[in-house]
Every structure is written in C-alpha cells, then in structure tokens.
Amino acid sequence: MKRKGINCFLAFILICSLLFPYTYETHAFASDEDTPDLIVSAEILYLREGPGLSYPILETLKQGEELTFIEEQDDWYHVKVNNVEGWVASWLTSTPKNSETEQPASTVISQVDHLNIRAEASISSPVLNQLNVGDEAEVLATENDWVKISYNGTVGWVSSEYVTKNKKHTTEQSESVKDETSSTKSAKTSAEVNPKLFTIAVDAVNVRKKPDLSSKKIGTAKKNEQYEVLDRENNWVKIQHGKEKGWVYSFYGHFQEIEKIPTAATSDTPSTDQSTVTIIYNGTNLREVPSTSSNVVLRANAGEKYPILSTKDDWYEVELDKNTSAYVANWVVSVDEEVAISEDTTQQQEPKEQRKKGTLKGVQIVIDPGHGGNDRGTTGVSGTEEKDINLKTVELLTSKLRSAGADVILTRESDIYVDLRKRVSISHQNGADAFISIHYDATEDSSISGFTTYYTNSYQQELAEYVHNGLSEKVTIRDRGVQPGNYLVTRENKQPAILIELGYLSNPSEERIVTTDYYREQATLGIYQGILDYFDAQLEN
C-alpha cells in the first residue's frame, strides 16, 4: 500500500512537469529581438577560442559590432557573431542603448583619478574602465551607495562617494538661436573675479574637514550657494559651512564676478607684431602670478587668443587689455606658429641623421615616471609607494635608451608633482617619436596580478604591441595583454603614446617580485627591446 502511494506521487510529479514546463533563468542582455545583446566598445576586440588571453584568436572584431550572448564565465562572455562562436573580454563590451529610452536626466563628474567603473554595484566586481578627475558620465540608475553610468560606451557602476551629481540641461537649439549665439561670441566679454567669494557651480559638492578627497565629509554645498573664502591650498578652497569650516574642491565652482573687461580676442587693435597663444581647454585659469596656487584673474575658453608679453619658466605673461596682464601655463595653450618669433624657433631644425638598424640615434623619446610629489599613486601591501618605484624603473630604462643613442626627455627627474596636461605638453613640445608612461597597478582584489600595456588612439597601438611583446619575453608574471585605456596622457597625446602597468602592488606575492632589482632590470630590458623593434620596423617600411 505504501509503495503504491509513492508511485502515485511520482506519477503526479511527472504529469505536472509535462503540463507546466520549467522556466530557466538565463543571463540575457536584451529583450527586444531587434536589439543585439552586446556591442564591441573597444576599437578592436579579439574573439578567442576560450575564456582567457592565452587562447588562440578566431577573429578580430571592430568597435560597434553586434554580439549575441550565450553564457558567462568569470570576466569572459561566450558569444556568437557572424555565425562564429567564441569568447570575448567582458570589459571591452557594453549593452546597446535603446533609441526609444529617454535621455538621462543627470550626469556625474568624477572627483578623483582612477575611479573604477565596475560591472556590478560591488567592490568585488570586475573593473570595466576608469574615470579621472573632471570626467563626466551619464547617470542611468542609482542603488544604495552606487551610481550606474554610461561612459564612452562602457556601462557600469561607480561609488557615489567619489562623484558629484550634475543636472543635465537640454542643449538643443534652433538654427536661429545658434546663429544668434555665434554672432554674440564676437562681442563676448570675460569677468574679473573676486578671490574672496566662491560660488558653487554644480548641483552638489562635498565639503570636507581637510583639503583631501579621503578626508571626512562634514556637509554638502549646493549649486549657486556663495561662500566667503577663508583660505586656499592648491586646488582647494576653505569656506565657512554652517557652524563648521571645511574645504571644497575648486573645480566645482568659481570666484564671484565683479566687473567685465574685454578679452584679448575682442580687442579692436590686435597686435600683429607679437606672438600669441591659443587656449586649448575650456575654463583655463589665467592667474595673477606664474604659479598654480595664485589667484585666478580670468577663466578663458578654448580658441581664445592672447598676445604674449613675456615668458617665465613654464608660464606666459599675456595681455588681457592695455592695462591688464595675467599668466597662463604653457601646457594648456598652443603658440601660433605663423607669428611665433624667437631665436630658437626661427632657425630651421637640422634634419635628423640617418639612423641605422639596431640603434636609436636621433630618436626623441619622452619617458614619464607616473605620479610624484603629493600624488603618491598607489601604495603596496608592504608600503611600497608607486611614485618611488616608477622613478627607479625609469632611471634604468633611460640609461638603456641613451646608450642606444636616443634623446631621452623625462617629465620628472625627482619627487615632484607634474600636472598631467604638462606631461602631454612636454611630449608635444619635443615632437616625441614615442611617449612611454611607467606605472604599477593596484586593485581591491589582492589576487589579481600581471602587467598590461595601454593605448588610447589607433596610431598608438603599434607602439603598444611592440613594447608589450618585448616586455612579455623578459618578465614571468601574468601577461594581461595590450588593451585600450582612457588615460589623459595617452588620450590627449598627439604622439605615439602608451602607458605600461608593470604589476600589481596590491598583490602581496607580486609586490615582492616587482620591487626587486632583478625584475626592474628585466622589465626595462624588455621595454627597451620593444622600442628598438618598433623603430627598426619603421626603417623596413
């Protein structure tokens, strides 16, 4: 009797399974048949036989190609494209935007460099990309202390602690309004500022106890609120916030306008006998004296031109009007070639000597030891400071390159802070044949290891591949490959420029390896050989 009851129960379960089939949960990315699951967000993406960089390449995919998702394994997606199945790196793909979806109502601005964009709202989730100070991204959603964003084709999550929200305004204009705006620009005036009154320019910004992004948050300052300036330190402004005194990052506001003066761009009698500078970036500071800690006299926008009165170190003194001058850093401007007159530039450059294969004679190489001064970079588990090990590595590399005949220029030769845009300017001013930025990596996950070579623009990829190949033949830690990366020193660089991460200081065992003299010797030997191979290949072409 008991056995008969069991059989009846099993028969009942079987009938139910036939009538009500199971619904399997799949990791799908799209619900619309017309919308692809994924698209390639990098310039190129390799379709591999398996989930890892060591597997053979099946095809080379280009940015924007559509992928059909099959399954996921760790940081890799199994996909189908053009009837071929294979695996792709998840961090180089993104979900397509739905054209019917309403445009995000706000954006966020990063308050720090190297802010990780993660696949999920968790610090243990894979890193897809990074934001640097001032980078702006569209907000898609929020969840607890995380913000989901879209940035340069990458969709992921960032910590809300390190970003400032900024409402997005509609920018569509009718043609008549555009024409009116264009005509108004010719009559544009700029404002002199009062350094004693600071106005918040974004929706909200954190007020901190000390002039440091890691300092305790004591409140929030809102858009258009004005504060008396109590003190200034580098890029920070000290204000009275309620009953407490705190610091805000000056990037998120401006000093109060007190009077209008015409810009040099609107001068009735522009000088034709003087050299002029052209502003490269919107919101460029023109200062009272040649120092980044000096008071701001004027904020200029890209394209505005000013006559040069004199030069002092890395600064130009420029004329605002007949009675007013200010200083602008040479790494945020370009000098108009048609009117630039100096003893150095009027002489024709001597042609480079014919270089022989296996040498670097006549090659201009800018080497950039990352970070420096108050910017320590990352700190290893055992206390290794990235800024110091970067410089030690560069010293070895410089010696090897110079011995081969290269003309090597360093962006810094000691423990000093150098602005990122100044590093790029050094590359441009010297017409660098190659720009190499040396770094060591870190992440919250101490198990991650390996070296990576990054480039941003397509004309930098060949240099990245040659150098990475040379490096991979000399060091034994994990090879993470050549990858596109959004770093200012490569993104804004018009020269062949790459950034190398030589290992993870956040991995205890790897930190012990990469801090040895032997590793630095082998790594710099590999980079040197890669550079040599790159320039030898140019001779063959």
Side-chain angles (χ1 to χ4, degrees):
M1 183 73 180
K2 185 176 180 181
R3 185 170 181 180
K4 184 178 180 181
I6 293 173
N7 290 337
C8 291
F9 177 74
L10 292 174
F12 175 75
I13 295 295
L14 181 60
I15 292 169
C16 288
S17 66
L18 293 172
L19 293 175
F20 308 102
Y22 289 102
T23 301
Y24 295 94
E25 184 178 350
T26 59
H27 190 12
F29 285 81
S31 58
D32 190 335
E33 293 181 359
D34 296 329
T35 306
D37 297 333
L38 298 164
I39 57 172
V40 178
S41 57
E43 285 189 10
I44 62 167
L45 175 62
Y46 296 128
L47 183 71
R48 298 181 181 271
E49 287 185 1
L53 294 170
S54 60
Y55 287 91
I57 297 170
L58 297 175
E59 286 190 16
T60 300
L61 309 178
K62 295 183 179 179
Q63 190 169 28
E65 282 198 55
E66 300 177 351
L67 312 173
T68 302
F69 177 84
I70 299 174
E71 62 176 319
E72 179 180 2
Q73 183 174 323
D74 297 326
D75 294 340
W76 291 81
Y77 291 151
H78 186 192
V79 300
K80 185 175 182 180
V81 55
N82 299 330
N83 294 322
V84 178
E85 289 189 15
W87 294 82
V88 295
S90 63
W91 60 91
L92 299 179
T93 67
S94 61
T95 53
K97 294 181 180 179
N98 189 335
S99 59
E100 295 179 0
T101 303
E102 188 176 343
Q103 202 173 15
S106 62
T107 61
V108 290
I109 300 173
S110 175
Q111 296 187 29
V112 296
D113 278 328
H114 307 302
L115 175 61
N116 291 329
I117 304 175
R118 297 185 177 275
E120 304 291 342
S122 167
I123 59 171
S124 61
S125 181
V127 175
L128 307 178
N129 205 334
Q130 289 185 328
L131 296 177
N132 291 312
V133 170
D135 285 345
E136 189 170 9
E138 293 178 340
V139 175
L140 303 179
T142 57
E143 181 179 307
N144 298 326
D145 295 330
W146 293 83
V147 181
K148 188 175 185 180
I149 64 168
S150 175
Y151 177 74
N152 285 352
T154 300
V155 175
W157 297 81
V158 295
S159 171
S160 60
E161 177 69 17
Y162 301 107
V163 296
T164 297
K165 283 192 176 181
N166 189 27
K167 286 183 180 177
K168 188 169 184 179
H169 301 286
T170 303
T171 57
E172 294 181 0
Q173 293 177 311
S174 65
E175 289 302 317
S176 60
V177 174
K178 288 182 180 179
D179 292 340
E180 183 181 348
T181 305
S182 305
S183 62
T184 306
K185 282 183 179 178
S186 61
K188 181 179 176 183
T189 59
S190 298
E192 191 178 356
V193 294
N194 178 3
K196 294 298 182 183
L197 198 60
F198 188 75
T199 304
I200 305 300
V202 294
D203 282 349
V205 63
N206 294 329
V207 182
R208 299 187 181 273
K209 193 170 184 178
K210 296 179 180 179
D212 191 308
L213 290 168
S214 61
S215 177
K216 180 182 177 182
K217 175 183 171 183
I218 63 172
T220 303
K222 302 293 181 64
K223 187 172 184 178
N224 294 328
E225 289 181 350
Q226 293 184 342
Y227 296 91
E228 181 183 356
V229 176
L230 305 178
D231 194 8
R232 296 174 68 174
E233 184 174 319
N234 296 326
N235 292 321
W236 292 84
V237 179
K238 189 175 185 180
I239 62 172
Q240 183 74 43
H241 187 262
K243 295 181 180 180
E244 295 188 84
K245 295 177 181 178
W247 297 81
V248 294
Y249 200 49
S250 63
F251 180 83
Y252 300 108
H254 54 80
F255 295 95
Q256 179 61 35
E257 300 177 358
I258 56 175
E259 67 173 315
K260 299 288 183 177
I261 57 174
T263 67
T266 61
S267 173
D268 292 334
T269 56
S271 172
T272 56
D273 297 328
Q274 292 176 298
S275 303
T276 61
V277 295
T278 301
I279 305 297
I280 300 175
Y281 307 103
N282 285 333
T284 294
N285 293 325
L286 275 60
R287 299 181 181 274
E288 287 182 356
V289 296
S291 168
T292 54
S293 60
S294 169
N295 291 335
V296 176
V297 175
L298 179 74
R299 292 187 191 276
N301 290 319
E304 293 181 356
K305 297 179 183 290
Y306 298 89
I308 298 173
L309 300 178
S310 66
T311 59
K312 184 175 182 181
D313 298 326
D314 294 330
W315 295 78
Y316 291 117
E317 182 184 11
V318 297
E319 182 183 12
L320 302 183
D321 62 18
K322 291 182 179 179
N323 302 314
T324 311
S325 66
Y327 288 87
V328 62
N330 65 10
W331 60 89
V332 293
V333 298
S334 64
V335 179
D336 290 358
E337 296 179 358
E338 294 180 2
V339 294
I341 303 173
S342 69
E343 291 181 1
D344 295 332
T345 58
T346 51
Q347 297 177 359
Q348 290 186 343
Q349 291 186 344
E350 295 181 4
K352 293 182 181 179
E353 294 183 34
Q354 184 65 35
R355 180 170 55 86
K356 294 180 181 180
K357 194 171 182 179
T359 72
L360 295 172
K361 191 171 184 180
V363 175
Q364 293 262 15
I365 301 176
V366 173
I367 305 295
D368 174 40
H371 308 286
N374 58 5
D375 176 11
R376 290 183 171 84
T378 189
T379 302
V381 179
S382 301
T384 305
E385 289 196 350
E386 184 191 357
K387 65 173 184 176
D388 295 333
I389 194 172
N390 288 343
L391 199 55
K392 289 180 180 179
T393 305
V394 164
E395 287 171 353
L396 286 174
L397 178 59
T398 300
S399 175
K400 292 177 175 63
L401 294 172
R402 284 177 175 163
S403 67
D407 182 7
V408 181
I409 301 100
L410 301 182
T411 59
R412 68 179 181 97
E413 298 186 46
S414 59
D415 186 19
I416 59 171
Y417 173 77
V418 180
D419 186 271
L420 293 178
R421 296 194 186 279
K422 183 175 180 180
R423 297 173 196 243
V424 175
S425 178
I426 291 171
S427 175
H428 293 165
Q429 289 171 356
N430 289 281
D433 297 305
F435 175 97
I436 315 289
S437 188
I438 300 296
H439 289 259
Y440 288 79
D441 221 332
T443 185
E444 290 89 347
D445 186 348
S446 61
S447 67
I448 294 178
S449 63
F451 67 95
T452 319
T453 304
Y454 293 98
Y455 69 95
T456 302
N457 303 298
S458 58
Y459 55 83
Q460 300 164 340
Q461 184 177 355
E462 185 181 8
L463 174 63
E465 289 175 346
Y466 270 102
V467 172
H468 191 85
N469 288 340
L471 190 55
S472 65
E473 292 178 2
K474 295 297 181 183
V475 299
T476 57
I477 64 174
R478 180 188 173 193
D479 184 345
R480 300 178 64 87
V482 176
Q483 300 182 23
N486 187 29
Y487 296 97
L488 188 146
V489 292
T490 54
R491 183 183 70 237
E492 303 292 330
N493 212 317
K494 297 176 183 177
Q495 312 301 124
I498 61 174
L499 184 146
I500 308 172
E501 297 280 8
L502 284 169
Y504 280 81
L505 299 179
S506 53
N507 182 314
S509 59
E510 189 154 284
E511 181 186 15
R512 287 192 293 272
I513 294 171
V514 302
T515 52
T516 62
D517 292 339
Y518 175 77
Y519 178 84
R520 287 196 296 274
E521 176 63 31
Q522 291 300 108
T524 54
L525 190 60
I527 295 169
Y528 162 76
Q529 189 60 52
I531 293 172
L532 197 61
D533 292 344
Y534 170 74
F535 285 106
D536 280 352
Q538 289 187 348
L539 284 178
E540 294 174 2
N541 295 334

